[in-house]
Amino acid sequence: MKYTKILILLLGLGMMAACSSDDDEPEVVQPVARVQVMAVFAPGQLGDQGYADRVMKGVNTLMKADAGIDSVEVNFIASYDVETTCTMLADWVGRRASVLDGAPNSRRLLVLTEPFMVKWLADMKNQLTANDEVLLLKVSDDDVEAAAQTLGMEGRVHGLNISAASAVRHFEEARKAYYEMIGGSEIQTNMMRLYTDSVVNYRDSVCETIMEMSPDIDYVPGFHIIDQGGLVYSNEFQETAFELAYSLCGLMRAIATLASSRLFTIVDFGSANSGAEFFLMGSNEDMRVIMVMLDGESNTALHRFAIIRDFDRALDGWTQQWLRQPLGTMPLMELHGGWDGYCTDDIDPWAFV
């Protein structure tokens, strides 16, 4: 009985000590900050050795992010056709939890790599939540505002772009110097695109800069592969896109031969750039066509130049800042260019003299 009383006394003292401790506040369990980032690529867009691959590289750096976030889940959609892509996008929009452990996400960011994808997202906008934000690439501030209104996400749609004006200006200076040297009539730079302007409102400042350098013209001669958004990025059309890109380059060479001159052209075929590359491998050693590839990588062996826009670095910087900012506080638009080193080129005016 004596030992029982002592034990009870000791337990009571222990409880009194615990109650009088400075740490008597209940432990607060902080919620896990889970962030999800999803990038959407058009079918077949990856592997272009340019824009899309750089975007993918930028997205992947988020996996190594250290911004006080407990979990950053990064994923991407790259399917075989537009229908499947939209189905996968709708599945992600409607899912509120992590695919890894089922835990709810505190914030989500959707990165759309092409402006026309806003139309895809608009069909499922009612499933978006107040914790969702959208980042549009290759757009202007007007595009961002229009998309925010379409999606009903004012303040949570943002834009990121890189102007190619500095490189285009460099290319135009080289063209003018060439024609001045040979003393012949100038032939205007032409533009070869993946999509027609009716599908994509190009926001790269290419045509604007060409007309700025040649104030006597009111348009830039142009050619395009397809006039339906997304179609070129499909297995069924990929081979045709390659062939059309190859044929358009051949047409440029034929015109240059007929004119007994050189033609200056800017190429923006996206994943179909490989068609232009293949043409250059055996048909342009004399540089009859002076070509610069937008969002290409340097390859002097092919006798063409490249405009290099660092979308990987720009996207990395933007998302790192986004991770540290409260919801809905990122700026409407972020624009880079030659002035801050995000656009460079390897254009050598002496290479074709």
Side-chain angles (χ1 to χ4, degrees):
M1 181 66 69
K2 178 174 65 175
Y3 295 111
T4 302
K5 290 181 178 179
I6 294 174
L7 179 59
I8 293 174
L9 177 62
L10 291 174
L11 288 173
L13 291 172
M15 291 178 64
M16 290 174 63
C19 291
S20 62
S21 170
D22 293 336
D23 300 326
D24 58 354
E25 292 294 329
E27 181 181 357
V28 178
V29 178
Q30 296 293 334
V32 176
R34 293 181 179 272
V35 174
Q36 190 175 68
V37 178
M38 175 65 77
V40 183
F41 294 91
Q45 187 180 14
L46 285 174
D48 64 354
Q49 300 183 28
Y51 165 71
D53 288 356
R54 282 185 173 270
V55 170
M56 187 62 170
K57 181 181 176 182
V59 170
N60 282 335
T61 59
L62 267 178
M63 296 180 181
K64 304 175 183 179
D66 181 17
I69 304 298
D70 298 286
S71 173
V72 179
E73 182 180 325
V74 183
N75 211 330
F76 66 95
I77 294 173
S79 184
Y80 295 104
D81 54 62
V82 174
E83 182 179 358
T84 304
T85 300
C86 290
T87 299
M88 296 174 69
L89 176 59
D91 179 65
W92 179 85
V93 169
R95 190 189 310 123
R96 302 286 181 265
S98 167
V99 296
L100 300 178
D101 57 10
N105 293 295
S106 56
R107 293 176 65 187
R108 300 195 305 176
L109 176 67
L110 182 65
V111 180
L112 300 182
T113 59
E114 293 291 344
F116 57 72
M117 293 177 178
V118 173
K119 296 180 181 178
W120 302 350
L121 186 60
D123 293 335
M124 55 198 79
K125 65 180 182 180
N126 293 334
Q127 298 182 65
L128 293 166
T129 71
N131 290 333
D132 293 331
E133 293 183 80
V134 176
L135 176 63
L136 308 177
L137 305 183
K138 301 195 297 185
V139 292
S140 68
D141 50 0
D142 290 339
D143 297 326
V144 177
E145 291 176 348
Q149 186 173 6
T150 298
L151 300 173
M153 297 179 65
E154 285 77 4
R156 292 183 290 120
V157 179
H158 317 280
L160 176 64
N161 201 358
I162 301 175
S163 169
S166 61
V168 175
R169 194 171 292 112
H170 193 191
F171 189 57
E172 282 295 276
E173 289 170 350
R175 179 184 68 86
K176 288 178 175 294
Y178 168 76
Y179 284 116
E180 183 177 348
M181 180 193 68
I182 66 173
S185 300
E186 288 189 19
I187 300 178
Q188 186 60 50
T189 298
N190 67 80
M191 185 81 212
M192 295 196 290
R193 295 277 199 185
L194 181 64
Y195 292 116
T196 179
D197 292 345
S198 63
V199 174
V200 175
N201 293 320
Y202 291 102
R203 308 302 193 192
D204 45 33
S205 301
V206 171
C207 290
E208 293 85 348
T209 304
I210 292 174
M211 290 190 289
E212 172 193 305
M213 298 287 289
S214 300
D216 55 323
I217 66 171
D218 54 8
Y219 78 100
V220 176
F223 304 86
H224 65 272
I225 289 180
I226 194 65
D227 57 6
Q228 182 177 344
L231 177 59
V232 70
Y233 291 131
S234 64
N235 282 353
E236 294 78 9
F237 200 76
Q238 195 65 42
E239 183 176 349
T240 303
F242 174 94
E243 293 172 352
L244 287 175
Y246 182 92
S247 297
L248 280 176
C249 292
L251 175 62
M252 291 299 103
R253 178 174 174 80
I255 294 173
T257 302
L258 186 63
S260 299
S261 183
R262 282 179 166 144
L263 284 187
F264 289 72
T265 184
I266 300 176
V267 173
D268 179 27
F269 288 143
S271 64
N273 275 339
S274 56
E277 301 276 52
F278 192 75
F279 166 81
L280 293 173
M281 287 180 183
S283 305
N284 200 43
E285 291 185 359
D286 58 356
M287 295 191 74
R288 180 67 71 178
V289 178
I290 307 299
M291 181 184 297
V292 60
M293 185 170 287
L294 180 64
D295 294 321
E297 300 292 340
S298 292
N299 191 338
T300 54
L302 291 181
H303 304 287
R304 61 100 174 132
F305 306 114
I307 297 174
I308 304 158
R309 296 191 292 175
D310 293 340
F311 272 98
D312 50 341
R313 185 159 58 98
L315 183 59
D316 178 26
W318 193 96
T319 50
Q320 294 291 345
Q321 184 180 357
W322 175 80
L323 285 172
R324 293 166 170 82
Q325 296 287 349
L327 179 70
T329 59
M330 288 294 288
L332 174 78
M333 186 71 203
E334 184 174 303
L335 180 64
H336 299 284
W339 61 85
D340 57 3
Y342 281 82
C343 177
T344 56
D345 66 77
D346 61 359
I347 297 167
D348 179 10
W350 297 102
F352 48 85
V353 172

